[in-house]
Amino acid sequence: MAKPTQLGVADTIWLQQGLALQPDFQTTMSDDYAAGFQRADFVHAAGVATDDINKTIADQTHGKITKLFPAGSLDASTRLVLAN
């Protein structure tokens, strides 16, 4: 007997603390794509933000994806990450 297949969607937008979004963009992402918003401090703690994103993705994918972003791939110039 085949194992049942499970499909999960993990959409999260990580936004630099203090950065404002256009209301229409935020509404579209929330309403049309069910993307949740999280704040991160890429400027002062990019490593922590990277770890937080990877942990969230690992949780949402039940451990199938554990390291979406390798260390150093996000840095102080990062302002927004769309993880899908």
Side-chain angles (χ1 to χ4, degrees), residues 7 51 61 64:
L7 175 65
D51 291 344
T61 63
K64 300 279 187 207

Side-chain angles (χ1 to χ4, degrees), residues 62-74:
H62 307 283
K64 300 279 187 207
I65 301 171
T66 57
K67 200 168 208 173
L68 184 63
F69 293 101
S73 62
L74 304 176

Side-chain angles (χ1 to χ4, degrees), residues 5-6 9-10 13 16-17 26-27 29 31 35-37 40-41 45 48 51 56 58 65 67-68 71 74 80 83:
T5 300
Q6 181 180 14
V9 178
I13 296 172
Q16 172 60 38
Q17 292 176 357
Q26 191 164 351
T27 299
M29 292 297 104
D31 294 351
F37 287 88
D41 188 0
V48 172
D51 291 344
T56 298
I65 301 171
K67 200 168 208 173
L68 184 63
L74 304 176
L80 185 141

Side-chain angles (χ1 to χ4, degrees), residues 1-76:
M1 182 169 226
K3 285 175 77 173
T5 300
Q6 181 180 14
L7 175 65
V9 178
D11 292 328
T12 310
I13 296 172
W14 296 80
L15 183 66
Q16 172 60 38
Q17 292 176 357
L19 188 66
L21 291 176
Q22 293 291 325
D24 288 345
F25 175 77
Q26 191 164 351
T27 299
T28 299
M29 292 297 104
S30 296
D31 294 351
D32 296 347
Y33 299 99
F37 287 88
Q38 299 289 331
R39 292 290 178 165
D41 188 0
F42 298 109
V43 174
H44 300 105
V48 172
T50 302
D51 291 344
D52 289 346
I53 293 169
N54 284 334
K55 181 183 180 324
T56 298
I57 296 302
D59 290 347
Q60 291 175 334
T61 63
H62 307 283
K64 300 279 187 207
I65 301 171
T66 57
K67 200 168 208 173
L68 184 63
F69 293 101
S73 62
L74 304 176
D75 60 24

